[in-house]
Amino acid sequence: MTINRGRTALITGISGQDGSYLAELLLTEGYVVHGIVRHTSSLIANTSRLDTVYQDPHETGRRLFLHKGDVTDAGMMVNLIRDIRPDEIYNLAAQSHVRVSFDLPEYTANVTALGAIRLLEAVRASGIDTRIYQASTSEMFGTTAPPQDENTRFHPRSPYGVAKVYAHWATVNYRESYGMFAVNGISFNHESPRRGETFVTRKITRAVARIAAGLEQKVYLGNLDAVRDWGYAPEYVEAMWRMLRHDEPVDYVIATGRAATVRDFAEAAFSHAGLDWREHVAHDERYERPAEVPELVGDPAKIEREIGWKARVHWDELARIMVDADRKALPGGA
Ligand code: NAP
Ligand code: F7E
């Protein structure tokens, strides 16, 4: 921990799944951590995933600072970055739901694509020397066949994927144009008990817990044939951090290299609770997308070789971790 003492990081999207795990990791490593949280009308801020690390503003010696802000507000980002002068910036803020991006394409572009360029420009305007991590995604590969690696052609299939391609190339462009240490982590799907409840893994494991407890009978899903490479989010934030501690600014695929269908995941999750998925999963076309990404399976050889990062938790163990957590979270859950 001592080697990082005094280092300062800024995380956009700190209240999200990855942001919360990353904040925990960096605090454990001795960093001072700043995060941008959005204004809401009903809460002081959406910080439920940060409960384990939240520090009251009146505490002395605290190392976690939350700032009200939004990546659609360029001035706010310039001022904040100039004030705190972070050594590392992790741009995790996004409208990250693929299905939702079809309903809110312009909004998704504003946050997910232009948010990245606002941040890069804010760093330039502040004139500070910092390292920047951009949360790129396997969704950029779209229909290009697996295994996908750092040289695979992009063919995004959603407004979200298109927005992330923009942010990805903006990051490469600022690295090449201005010599910034700015890198893309091309993450494949990664999940955890903190995953948003409308992503398919969490939707399934939450339903398993509620069905096992007799609270409901069925879960309605869309395409069961989609293939994904699901990893464990706490391991992925470690990859992000290690990419910024690397000697050179290099883009990497972050993946397990293992494939499973949505059907496989559902089967594993239900059977972990002693249930037969076929009795509880029903189809609803409203969960299908105008264009689907059929098969994403990453080739993580480069990050394993050059950074020494390797996924340990694979999709079937992940299903068990998430089912156990969702069962425990129910009132009276064990
Ligand atoms: P997430 O749970 O959806 O979190 C997104 C975060 O962005 C939340 O903190 C959210 O704040 C914040 N946010 C949204 N709009 C914002 C805005 N206009 N200004 C400031 N903050 C805003 O996503 P995640 O799963 O942690 O993923 C983190 C990043 O990695 C995202 O960029 C995502 O696109 C990318 N990614 C994720 C995966 C994956 O499988 N998880 C894979 C590849 C790439 P609220 O809490 O207020 O909503
Ligand atoms: O869908 C299918 C759906 O929404 C996975 C984001 O973190 O990972 C995530 O995007 C698959 C798709 O994740 C339902 O059609 C079936 O094929 O959990 P998801 P995603 O779209 O892969 C990437 C890497 C990101 O970057 C994104 O930010 O499951 N599916 N039935 C369903 N999906 C949902 N959500 N709900 C269903 O009922």
Side-chain angles (χ1 to χ4, degrees), residues 4-266:
N4 298 307
R5 193 177 292 283
R7 287 188 75 79
T8 298
L10 171 64
I11 305 174
T12 73
I14 194 170
S15 59
Q17 171 189 256
D18 291 4
S20 64
Y21 285 118
L22 181 63
E24 286 174 12
L25 172 70
L26 297 179
L27 288 167
T28 306
E29 292 293 335
Y31 282 63
V32 171
V33 176
H34 294 263
I36 295 176
V37 288
R38 290 197 287 174
H39 173 73
T40 73
S41 68
S42 57
L43 300 166
I44 294 170
N46 174 20
T47 55
S48 58
R49 290 179 174 119
L50 294 167
D51 281 350
T52 55
V53 290
Y54 183 78
Q55 293 170 309
D56 187 284
H58 304 100
E59 271 180 42
T60 51
R62 75 193 165 107
R63 289 189 288 117
L64 176 65
F65 298 87
L66 299 180
H67 307 269
K68 281 281 167 64
D70 199 297
V71 296
T72 58
D73 191 320
M76 175 264 148
M77 287 206 280
V78 175
N79 288 328
L80 183 64
I81 289 170
R82 200 167 41 208
D83 284 352
I84 64 180
R85 307 183 69 79
D87 299 296
E88 297 169 13
I89 301 177
Y90 298 85
N91 185 30
L92 309 185
Q95 190 305 94
S96 77
H97 202 286
V98 173
R99 179 68 192 81
V100 169
S101 78
F102 286 99
D103 300 326
L104 303 174
E106 185 181 337
Y107 172 78
T108 300
N110 194 12
V111 175
T112 306
L114 296 182
I117 207 113
R118 285 188 197 100
L119 185 124
L120 291 160
E121 272 300 292
V123 167
R124 239 162 53 84
S126 313
I128 61 161
D129 186 15
T130 185
R131 295 185 169 203
I132 303 166
Y133 177 91
Q134 168 60 28
S136 276
T137 169
S138 52
E139 276 294 303
M140 300 186 305
F141 299 127
T143 49
T144 310
Q148 292 105 355
D149 66 18
E150 293 79 4
N151 298 314
T152 300
R153 188 173 60 91
F154 296 150
H155 184 146
R157 296 269 285 172
S158 64
Y160 169 78
V162 171
K164 282 288 188 180
V165 170
Y166 179 94
H168 179 95
W169 283 115
T171 303
V172 173
N173 179 246
Y174 276 57
R175 181 168 77 220
E176 293 176 351
S177 304
Y178 306 116
M180 286 184 178
F181 193 114
V183 296
N184 290 292
I186 309 172
S187 291
F188 283 62
N189 300 53
H190 46 279
E191 321 288 313
S192 74
R194 294 185 197 167
R195 186 58 142 150
E197 292 171 3
T198 61
F199 295 93
V200 79
T201 54
R202 185 76 198 290
K203 182 172 169 181
I204 292 169
T205 61
R206 214 172 148 264
V208 167
R210 293 177 63 78
I211 291 167
L215 296 172
E216 55 195 50
Q217 277 302 310
K218 294 228 180 280
V219 59
Y220 293 88
L221 300 177
N223 176 19
L224 299 182
D225 295 324
V227 174
R228 290 292 183 274
D229 174 337
W230 282 293
Y232 188 37
E235 294 180 358
Y236 283 51
V237 302
E238 195 185 326
M240 297 173 192
W241 174 57
R242 286 166 70 167
M243 280 176 61
L244 287 199
R245 305 313 313 272
H246 194 47
D247 298 338
E248 302 293 328
V250 180
D251 299 337
Y252 289 103
V253 155
I254 308 173
T256 72
R258 308 274 179 100
T261 60
V262 173
R263 186 180 293 101
D264 294 331
F265 191 94

Side-chain angles (χ1 to χ4, degrees), residues 253-330:
V253 155
I254 308 173
T256 72
R258 308 274 179 100
T261 60
V262 173
R263 186 180 293 101
D264 294 331
F265 191 94
E267 187 172 2
F270 275 96
S271 81
H272 185 54
L275 298 166
D276 183 343
W277 72 279
R278 284 166 299 200
E279 291 171 15
H280 301 286
V281 173
H283 181 255
D284 186 335
E285 67 181 20
R286 97 177 70 170
Y287 299 115
E288 294 190 355
R289 292 150 188 207
E292 175 65 293
V293 171
E295 208 177 348
L296 293 175
V297 189
D299 174 0
K302 187 176 173 192
I303 195 167
E304 289 179 4
R305 193 174 59 246
E306 295 182 8
I307 301 268
W309 178 90
K310 190 172 169 52
R312 298 180 295 276
V313 173
H314 298 116
W315 67 271
D316 44 354
E317 186 185 352
L318 181 63
R320 294 193 290 274
I321 291 171
M322 292 174 67
V323 166
D324 288 345
D326 277 322
R327 295 188 78 176
K328 203 169 160 199
L330 285 177

